[in-house]
Amino acid sequence: MLQIDHGQQIELWLGQVPVKADYYQYLMQQTKESLDGFRRIWELKGISHLNKGPLAQAIAEQIPEHLSQWAVVLTEKQLRTLEKLVACQGILNGELTEPLLSLLRRGLVFPGVIDDVDVWAMPQDLVPHIADLISDPRVRQGARVNTQALQLARGMLVLYGVASCHELLTLVQEHLPEMEDFRRFFELLYEVHLNDGGINFADGKFAAAEVRNPEEIAQEQAKRPLLAYKPVAPGLLRDIATKGHLPWTPHQKTLAERLRRCHGISVDEVEAIMIEAWYQVNNDVSMVEMNQWLVQLVGVNSFDQMSELLLTFTEFVNHTPQWILKGHTPQEVGTTLGPGLSPNSGSGKSMSKVGRNDPCPCGSGQKYKYCCGRG
């Protein structure tokens, strides 16, 4: 723990303040633009017209009164960060984390330097307010529910790609009925979006950060009103949220084994290739482009080796959960959910053999029949 003498000065961006400085003193070392940002994020009313000094005073007075409203969307990770700040009398050192970023964006902590050590400083008169807040059993219980809801929502967005807040809340409530309030749930996810926490928001939809075109995915999902979101157990959703992808299916594991055994690729490199292939499938990269990418990436020594690789990759694609299919695979849609939703009717990306007139997967630019498909 960093040892602090409260008689020291802390270097802020625009000047120095004593370590024991109050909230107003810290705010006066920020730009007017930053103060306006704090005002907007806290939705403080009737003070937008004020000049810097009066604005800083108003913010210093009003934010402590709004802490209980903000506490509704706290997570357990944020609580732990606040506990550390209180225990360290408002001064922490270390890397910028997502919880610290949230506090920084809200004007509750400020970056500074003490004796050449980078620190995160909370104004001394804010510390008692935070201590009271995090000791409230209702806040701690709410943070537990928020953490569970966020894990479920993250897992769902990895699986489904895109969903509205209402859709996500309905699905989350199946596993976590305690998450009842729509506004609370929306603000919880939106806070993650603002902190670059792996969830994006646009056009009324939340999306996993890896989705390149959320609007297009949402449009494709809307074309399949009879196709329900694939149900997944809560434990698996939490695992998906942690890893950032689904557990590999047997057909996907077969591709991984071929890459290791036949192409001499390391376990870590194979994992990276599998994840990239999964996102390429879901981001609507064409079959030809994916074939060429894979062949060029791993290398092939013969036509037979390339044919076996692409055949295995075909099965990988056909058994990959797809965002436009709401987490189902083309194989599941075609064989389980009925012919009206089969992959060949435009309900998802499936893959077949390379046609003789298709570009050769080796990337030569020639037609397959004039290149690796000769003879």
Side-chain angles (χ1 to χ4, degrees):
M1 183 183 299
L2 184 66
Q3 297 298 314
I4 298 296
D5 176 359
H6 279 244
Q8 290 177 288
Q9 296 282 313
I10 179 170
E11 289 278 353
L12 300 178
W13 182 35
L14 295 181
Q16 287 187 342
V17 296
V19 169
K20 61 181 182 181
D22 62 21
Y23 202 4
Y24 173 75
Q25 290 175 288
Y26 273 88
L27 291 172
M28 284 301 292
Q29 295 300 322
Q30 312 305 306
T31 64
K32 174 67 162 53
E33 182 179 7
S34 294
L35 297 183
D36 283 328
F38 301 153
R39 171 184 60 78
R40 285 191 295 269
I41 198 168
W42 285 96
E43 298 181 0
L44 305 180
K45 306 299 183 183
I47 60 175
S48 60
H49 64 286
L50 296 177
N51 293 325
K52 181 177 176 178
L55 179 60
Q57 186 64 50
I59 291 173
E61 293 172 355
Q62 293 188 31
I63 283 183
E65 300 171 357
H66 285 69
L67 289 175
S68 59
Q69 299 174 25
W70 167 63
V72 172
V73 295
L74 285 177
T75 64
E76 291 177 314
K77 187 181 291 187
Q78 289 172 314
L79 270 187
R80 288 193 291 270
T81 298
L82 291 172
E83 287 171 346
K84 290 178 182 178
L85 278 162
V86 170
C88 297
Q89 298 181 293
I91 304 293
L92 274 183
N93 64 321
E95 296 182 354
L96 177 64
T97 61
E98 186 179 325
L100 278 172
L101 178 60
S102 175
L103 299 177
L104 180 67
R105 191 173 53 81
R106 286 185 170 273
L108 296 178
V109 299
F110 301 88
V113 178
I114 299 177
D115 290 339
D116 297 323
V117 176
D118 292 331
V119 298
W120 307 97
M122 176 176 286
Q124 290 299 294
D125 52 342
L126 265 185
V127 174
H129 292 287
I130 296 297
D132 290 341
L133 185 76
I134 61 178
S135 65
D136 188 331
R138 294 169 299 178
V139 171
R140 304 189 74 83
Q141 172 64 13
R144 182 190 66 79
V145 173
N146 289 343
T147 298
Q148 293 181 5
L150 186 56
Q151 287 178 324
L152 294 171
R154 285 184 186 275
M156 289 172 183
L157 288 175
V158 171
L159 179 59
Y160 308 137
V162 176
S164 70
C165 187
H166 174 75
E167 291 165 333
L168 283 173
L169 180 57
T170 300
L171 293 167
V172 165
Q173 286 174 334
E174 293 178 5
H175 307 298
L176 189 67
E178 300 97 313
M179 178 53 71
E180 299 175 332
D181 186 84
F182 177 88
R183 180 178 175 86
R184 171 186 174 186
F185 185 65
F186 175 86
E187 291 183 351
L188 175 66
L189 297 185
Y190 196 72
E191 183 89 3
V192 177
H193 158 66
L194 291 177
N195 294 329
D196 298 323
I199 295 178
N200 292 332
F201 180 77
D203 300 321
K205 301 274 188 177
F206 287 101
E210 294 79 9
V211 179
R212 297 174 190 170
N213 193 334
E215 182 179 1
E216 182 178 292
I217 300 298
Q219 290 173 351
E220 290 296 320
Q221 289 179 348
K223 294 177 182 178
R224 301 163 180 85
L226 299 181
L227 185 62
Y229 287 100
K230 184 176 181 176
V232 179
L236 180 55
L237 286 171
R238 287 190 285 269
D239 188 49
I240 293 170
T242 300
K243 293 182 178 178
H245 65 82
L246 279 75
W248 302 123
T249 66
H251 291 86
Q252 292 170 324
K253 290 179 180 178
T254 299
L255 175 62
E257 177 60 25
R258 173 168 289 279
L259 292 175
R260 287 192 293 268
R261 179 170 49 84
C262 300
H263 298 272
I265 300 175
S266 70
V267 173
D268 290 343
E269 289 176 316
V270 166
E271 183 76 1
I273 290 171
M274 299 276 283
I275 293 172
E276 175 60 24
W278 190 62
Y279 285 126
Q280 286 197 25
V281 171
N282 275 291
N283 278 303
D284 202 29
V285 178
S286 74
M287 299 303 181
V288 171
E289 288 178 301
M290 286 196 298
N291 278 341
Q292 292 176 346
W293 164 76
L294 184 62
V295 169
Q296 292 173 355
L297 181 66
V298 307
V300 293
N301 297 322
S302 66
F303 167 72
D304 288 341
Q305 188 183 49
M306 183 179 72
S307 296
E308 288 297 321
L309 174 64
L310 294 184
L311 180 62
T312 307
F313 189 51
T314 296
E315 291 303 302
F316 174 96
V317 173
N318 289 338
H319 293 83
T320 292
Q322 295 187 15
W323 294 331
I324 65 172
L325 299 181
K326 301 177 183 177
H328 298 279
T329 70
Q331 186 73 15
E332 291 169 340
V333 171
T335 61
T336 305
L337 303 180
L341 290 170
S342 68
N344 293 329
S345 65
S347 63
K349 184 189 295 295
S350 63
M351 189 174 178
S352 58
K353 293 173 64 177
V354 180
R356 286 179 53 76
N357 289 311
D358 289 338
C360 186
C362 74
S364 67
Q366 293 182 298
K367 289 185 177 181
Y368 178 65
K369 63 184 179 181
Y370 295 134
C371 190
C372 294
R374 286 180 298 187

